[in-house]
Amino acid sequence: MPNVGGRNIEVLFSAEQIAERNRELAQKIAERKLERPLAVSILKGSFIFAADLIRAMHDAGVEPDVEFITVSSYGAGTKGGDIRLVRDIDSEVEGRDVLLIDDILESGKTLNFVRELMMSRGARSVSIAVLLDKPGHRKLDLYADFTAFECPDYFVVGYGMDVAHSFRQLPYVGRVMDEPK
Ligand code: IMP
Ligand code: MG
């Protein structure tokens, strides 16, 4: 079990497993034949997944424009209720096939918020790619078009995902096993 900064991490999805799934997702995305695709990475948690997925998309023959949007949830802490736009994209969305890229689909509130925003701006289509799906916590009727892995019901870190901005650098997805003293 890797030890990172004094914390034991159980690896749930290895770098190799993730790379393989990224190639498979990119193939499936290529089969959709999106027109003028616009990939939108939802920051911060998706930055590594998005970086790898868009390069796998290039290898699969998909050449998206790439944008970034930052949203945060507010209300009851990190499990919070409502979503707020922190930093918007610059690109026109009208008529584009938008591919939203996020780390985790849990309640669905984050992705639903960004999806509605893109639809309201006249996107031709909005599809969703997520690294992890936690279907047990869904509050909205929302599905990802492309999911790398179904995630067990743990709080996970790594591959862009954090606890208080730590652990984003890990090349794998894991679970922090021991609590700090
Ligand atoms: P949703 O709006 O409930 O679908 O929340 C999904 C967002 O919550 C993700 O984009 C993550 O930023 C965050 N999140 C949910 N579960 C975890 C986790 O286990 N580790 C890190 N972030 C998480
Ligand atoms: Mg997030």
Side-chain angles (χ1 to χ4, degrees), residues 129-143:
V130 293
L131 179 70
L132 303 175
D133 187 0
K134 284 184 179 174
H137 293 273
R138 202 78 88 250
K139 292 210 172 70
L140 296 167
D141 192 21
L142 195 86
Y143 302 88

Side-chain angles (χ1 to χ4, degrees), residues 102-110 134 154-156 162:
D102 205 1
D103 51 358
I104 302 192
L105 171 56
E106 193 168 20
S107 73
K109 287 183 181 176
T110 303
K134 284 184 179 174
Y154 304 134
F155 191 84
V156 296
D162 70 310

